[in-house]
């Protein structure tokens, strides 16, 4: 049996995450995530090792507070001692800008930063916090993942799109407007990162939706509107 879809994969810009290449014609990469408290160095390192041994080529860990950020370099060192070179991805939320700035060793030990544009702040604060994280990524030569989440969309953008849709002569269903908001949030955030100086080959985009059909619709839209590498997340 042959799979013609593989022969016609969309062309994307490759992104190096540590020694692993994502997009750019590379094979599909598997990433998993830990469910440990990242501040638990031994437990997190052990689970990262086990995930890598099971086939996870990238491992995401949560970096949600100072104790977690402080633990990241030690986790990296523990994995290196076990001859496990799996790249670590740091998942940041509301305080990522603060943690990456205050803990440069954490910023250096991670192979990629995951940023959700919907929970880095609001209005001017949002732009400042996002910019700070991008500046750190540039300083340490790290790629990022723009991870848009259905449940934490930019409400100002969503409200604006809903208003525009309501005034349209041919309004779309509300669900379609949500799809547009997700796609626009991801692409505009990526373009903003580029304006700040982050290279295009340092950016991956992802979207998380509650329903599989929404996820498919969003990624189909994203695929025809950008050549950024895409990360498909399923929870």
């Amino acid at each position: 049996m042959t799979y013609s879809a593989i022969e016609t994969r969309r062309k994307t810009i490759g992104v190096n995450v540590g020694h692993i290449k994502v997009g750019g014609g590379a094979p599909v990469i598997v990433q998993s995530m830990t469910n440990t408290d990242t501040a638990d160095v031994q437990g997190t390192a052990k689970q990262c090792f086990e995930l890598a041994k099971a086939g996870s080529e990238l491992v995401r860990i949560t970096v949600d507070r100072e104790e977690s950020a402080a633990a990241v370099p030690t986790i990296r060192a523990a994995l290196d001692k076990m001859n496990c070179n799996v790249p670590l991805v740091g998942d940041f939320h509301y305080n990522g800008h603060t943690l990456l700035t205050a803990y440069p060793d954490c910023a250096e030990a991670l192979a990629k930063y995951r940023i959700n544009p919907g929970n880095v702040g609001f209005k001017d604060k949002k732009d400042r916090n996002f910019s700070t994280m991008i500046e750190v990524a540039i300083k340490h030569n790290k790629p990022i993942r723009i991870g848009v989440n259905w449940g934490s969309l930019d409400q100002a953008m969503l409200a604006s799109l809903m208003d525009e849709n309501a005034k349209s002569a041919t309004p779309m269903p509300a669900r379609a407007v949500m799809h547009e908001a997700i796609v626009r949030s991801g692409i505009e955030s990526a373009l903003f990162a580029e304006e700040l100086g982050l290279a295009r080959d340092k950016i991956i985009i992802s979207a998380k939706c509650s329903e599989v059909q929404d996820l498919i619709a969003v990624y189909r839209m994203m695929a025809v509107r950008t050549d950024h590498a895409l990360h498909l997340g399923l929870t």
Side-chain angles (χ1 to χ4, degrees), residues 52-69:
K53 188 176 179 180
S56 184
E57 295 156 286
L58 301 173
V59 175
R60 193 188 90 183
I61 59 178
T62 299
V63 187
D64 56 353
R65 64 191 197 281
E66 291 189 357
E67 291 82 0
S68 300

Side-chain angles (χ1 to χ4, degrees), residues 52-172:
K53 188 176 179 180
S56 184
E57 295 156 286
L58 301 173
V59 175
R60 193 188 90 183
I61 59 178
T62 299
V63 187
D64 56 353
R65 64 191 197 281
E66 291 189 357
E67 291 82 0
S68 300
V72 170
T74 311
I75 294 168
R76 178 70 271 165
L79 288 169
D80 291 342
K81 286 183 180 179
M82 291 186 277
N83 294 316
C84 178
N85 65 351
V86 64
L88 298 178
V89 179
D91 186 22
F92 294 95
H93 291 280
Y94 303 95
N95 57 354
H97 60 291
T98 300
L99 296 177
L100 283 170
T101 303
Y103 293 88
D105 288 346
C106 167
E108 181 59 35
L110 293 169
K112 182 177 71 176
Y113 313 149
R114 187 264 185 171
I115 305 172
N116 180 347
N119 62 19
V120 294
F122 301 97
K123 297 183 179 179
D124 293 342
K125 184 179 180 181
K126 172 185 175 181
D127 287 347
R128 287 197 304 272
N129 294 348
F130 183 85
S131 298
T132 297
M133 298 182 77
I134 298 305
E135 288 166 4
V136 173
I138 294 170
K139 179 179 179 181
H140 292 275
N141 195 30
K142 304 292 182 177
I144 65 165
R145 170 161 65 96
I146 302 291
V148 182
N149 195 315
W150 178 275
S152 57
L153 272 174
D154 183 328
Q155 293 302 301
M157 173 187 286
L158 181 58
S160 176
L161 288 175
M162 287 292 189
D163 287 343
E164 289 178 16
N165 186 60
K167 296 174 184 176
S168 172
T170 55
M172 300 184 296

Side-chain angles (χ1 to χ4, degrees), residues 13 15 138 143-144 190 193-194 196-203 228:
I13 296 174
V15 179
I138 294 170
I144 65 165
E194 291 181 43
L196 293 169
L198 189 65
R200 198 172 181 85
D201 65 357
K202 295 288 186 184
I203 301 172
H228 286 99

Side-chain angles (χ1 to χ4, degrees), residues 14-25:
V15 179
N16 292 319
V17 183
H19 65 281
I20 300 294
K21 184 178 180 180
V22 178

